[in-house]
């Protein structure tokens, strides 16, 4: 099968956000072809407060032998989270380099304590959509 450079491959990366007083463990996802790794590092404040803004911090690491250029990372809005500026742009991520980034989110004011799932989408002209 011939690979298309512009082909779109959709992969939802699910990360758990804990909105209650409980222990938090670092969540790590590695893409199937080992292009990059994404870590959900922390959120502040902890616990999240419904109706109040929180910062969600991530780290992305390049696992390829070459640089990843022009990467867009989009926070896919899903209840109970609203997000300001849902797309982060990274000009370049060199081999073995790690960069931190954050999203500013606001849980719905009627959110009950619990665990919620959300998704990130990644796009790079060299890799397509993840």
């Amino acid at each position: 099968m011939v690979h298309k450079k512009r082909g779109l491959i959709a992969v939802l990366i699910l990360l758990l956000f804990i909105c209650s007083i409980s222990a938090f463990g670092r969540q790590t996802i590695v893409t199937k072809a080992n292009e990059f790794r994404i870590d959900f590092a922390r959120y502040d404040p902890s616990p999240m407060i419904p109706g109040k803004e929180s910062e969600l911090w991530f780290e992305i690491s390049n696992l390829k032998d070459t640089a990843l250029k022009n990467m867009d990372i989009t926070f896919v809005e899903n209840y109970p989270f609203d997000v300001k500026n849902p797309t982060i742009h990274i000009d370049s991520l060199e081999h073995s380099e790690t960069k931190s980034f954050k999203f500013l989110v606001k849980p719905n004011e009627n959110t009950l304590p619990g665990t919620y799932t959300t998704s990130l989408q990644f796009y790079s002209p060299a890799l397509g959509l993840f």
Side-chain angles (χ1 to χ4, degrees), residues 100-118:
S100 295
F101 61 94
K102 69 179 176 179
F103 291 102
L104 190 58
V105 300
K106 184 176 177 182
N108 182 287
E109 61 187 37
N110 297 318
T111 303
L112 298 175
T115 302
Y116 294 88
T117 303
T118 192

Side-chain angles (χ1 to χ4, degrees), residues 40 42-44 54-59 73 75 83-90 99-105 120:
F40 176 50
R42 69 183 187 281
Y43 57 97
D44 186 37
S54 296
E55 294 177 342
L56 302 180
W57 286 89
F58 297 86
E59 294 176 350
I73 304 168
F75 187 98
V83 62
K84 285 188 177 180
N85 302 320
T87 300
I88 302 292
H89 180 78
I90 297 175
K99 288 190 177 180
S100 295
F101 61 94
K102 69 179 176 179
F103 291 102
L104 190 58
V105 300
L120 298 178

Side-chain angles (χ1 to χ4, degrees), residues 31 33-37 61-68 93-97 126-127:
T31 57
N34 289 326
E35 290 96 354
F36 58 89
R37 182 184 80 221
S61 301
N62 184 355
L63 304 176
K64 291 179 57 86
D65 292 334
T66 58
L68 295 172
L93 190 63
E94 300 299 322
H95 168 67
S96 297
E97 183 179 13
L127 300 175

